[in-house]
Amino acid sequence: MKKVIITGPAHPIVQTTLETKGYTVVNNATITQEQLAEEIVDAEGIILTTRIIANKALLEKAKQLKWIGRLGSGMELIDVDFANSKKIDCFSSPEGNRNAVAEQTLGLLLNLMNNISTSFNLLKKGIWAREESRGEELDGKTVGIIGFGNTGSSFAKLLSAFNVTVLAYDKYKTGFANTYIKESTIEEIQDKAEVISFHVPLTDATYHFANDEFFSKLIRQPYFLNTCRGKVTDTNALIKALATKKIKAAGLDVLENEQLNSYSDKEKEQLQLLLSFKNVIVTPHTAGVTKDSFYKMSKILLDKLPI
């Protein structure tokens, strides 16, 4: 009988659908890399989230593997080229959580612009900081979006209600401009944007894209948002940009290292320094994991899989 391994949290529709299609399903959301290396030998398919690394060493053990399904977006943990060389097809479902990420990005921005968390934290201390919490409106601002794929374009769609100008840059995409969206360059975004939001995959080209050089060229002291991948931002450079006021505030849903229990003393110190800024909000990579997207990612992936 055909076997599929589910290696992370997945909506029940995944197992139910696969079993209906005649698969034996090994559903183990806590399976280790080592355990998977043994289990994958006779598997026809595997479904991944963000925990398991489907590298060459693992895939070489997969003697019958025909496909890999990635719940969500981002294929950086899968050696897609090697998989393709073994005639293993790779699928993802970024359409399933793009709106969730876009909504949280907007939420982070509005929170920062209106000092919502800051004023709430002061109120819990008995401080009614009304004047000190005076914010500013998004209306009429210029927003730079770097990466105009699923989440970048979804964020731009939400911004249509705010009378903003969107300057969007995408290395691989053109022809998306409209009444309020302008195809732009990194340089123009650095020069004109009052908000900058990253929505790119993690690749060699985007690793530490937001570095000292990037921040040094910002003109308008923008709000800085990253809800894609933590390693797109050089954390030390971000801390420096906050300290020197090259950016007005930062909203992050991702960190360079999201395994807090593995932090070195240096990483702990760095995180505490980042969190010490009143104009910083960090959430634990939750933007794409709404109850709605949990179902949508699974359904969309199932529709793509050759089952």
Side-chain angles (χ1 to χ4, degrees):
M1 187 175 285
K2 303 176 293 183
K3 183 172 87 174
V4 173
I5 308 166
I6 301 174
T7 68
H11 192 278
I13 192 179
V14 176
Q15 179 164 346
T16 300
T17 300
L18 289 169
E19 288 176 342
T20 300
K21 298 285 186 177
Y23 287 91
T24 296
V25 178
V26 177
N27 193 344
N28 186 351
T30 62
I31 193 170
T32 65
Q33 194 83 22
E34 294 72 23
Q35 289 170 335
L36 181 59
E38 296 180 7
E39 193 73 63
I40 202 173
V41 174
D42 59 346
E44 180 174 309
I46 56 172
I47 292 178
L48 308 175
T49 53
T50 58
R51 199 172 54 81
I52 293 293
I53 301 173
N55 53 21
K56 181 179 179 180
L58 179 70
L59 297 179
E60 281 182 331
K61 296 180 181 297
K63 305 303 181 184
Q64 299 180 38
L65 199 64
K66 294 181 180 179
W67 52 263
I68 300 170
R70 163 74 165 93
L71 284 167
S73 61
M75 304 290 274
E76 66 270 13
L77 297 181
I78 302 172
D79 190 335
V80 176
D81 290 337
F82 183 71
N84 289 339
S85 75
K86 290 194 66 179
K87 294 183 169 50
I88 301 169
D89 294 322
C90 300
F91 305 89
S92 62
S93 54
E95 305 91 343
N97 66 351
R98 61 188 176 189
N99 185 69
V101 176
E103 286 191 8
Q104 178 139 333
T105 306
L106 180 59
L108 287 169
L109 178 58
L110 293 176
N111 189 324
L112 290 168
M113 295 188 78
N114 293 282
N115 298 305
I116 294 171
S117 290
T118 301
S119 59
F120 178 55
N121 288 331
L122 288 172
L123 186 59
K124 287 192 289 186
K125 297 177 181 179
I127 302 171
W128 188 262
R130 188 166 186 259
E131 181 59 34
E132 299 90 328
S133 301
R134 188 184 294 272
E136 59 181 317
E137 296 176 24
L138 181 54
D139 181 80
K141 297 290 192 295
T142 298
V143 180
I145 296 179
I146 299 176
F148 207 72
N150 281 288
T151 60
S153 59
S154 294
F155 181 46
K157 182 180 178 180
L158 295 182
L159 291 171
S160 64
F162 289 88
N163 187 37
V164 299
T165 298
V166 171
L167 303 177
Y169 168 79
D170 194 296
K171 184 177 180 179
Y172 306 102
K173 189 176 181 181
T174 59
F176 53 78
N178 63 20
T179 54
Y180 69 101
I181 300 172
K182 176 184 176 182
E183 292 180 35
S184 189
T185 63
I186 296 295
E187 293 74 20
E188 185 178 21
I189 289 172
Q190 289 171 314
D191 185 52
K192 297 180 179 179
E194 295 156 285
V195 176
I196 295 178
S197 188
F198 273 84
H199 300 274
V200 296
L202 179 61
T203 65
D204 290 342
T206 62
Y207 175 78
H208 280 188
F209 194 105
N211 54 20
D212 284 326
E213 182 181 4
F214 176 85
F215 288 117
S216 71
K217 295 179 180 178
L218 302 182
I219 303 300
R220 304 292 297 275
Q221 197 188 13
Y223 291 88
F224 177 82
L225 306 168
N226 183 8
T227 54
C228 58
R229 291 292 183 266
K231 288 184 171 61
V232 169
T233 301
D234 180 338
T235 308
N236 282 325
L238 174 62
I239 291 171
K240 189 184 301 183
L242 286 160
T244 58
K245 301 189 185 308
K246 292 298 294 183
I247 58 175
K248 189 168 293 183
L252 311 173
D253 183 53
V254 288
L255 294 172
E256 290 201 66
N257 182 358
E258 296 179 353
Q259 304 301 318
L260 299 186
N261 58 0
S262 73
Y263 269 36
S264 64
D265 289 340
K266 183 178 180 180
E267 286 175 312
K268 292 177 183 177
E269 181 181 355
Q270 185 186 62
L271 180 60
Q272 288 306 310
L273 183 55
L274 179 64
L275 298 178
S276 70
F277 289 95
K278 295 180 180 179
N279 54 341
V280 169
I281 300 174
V282 182
T283 52
H285 207 149
T286 55
V289 292
T290 63
K291 295 176 182 178
D292 308 270
S293 69
F294 189 52
Y295 171 79
K296 288 192 285 186
M297 286 189 296
S298 297
K299 180 63 170 65
I300 288 169
L301 182 61
L302 287 168
D303 288 343
K304 292 181 179 181
L305 293 177
I307 57 177

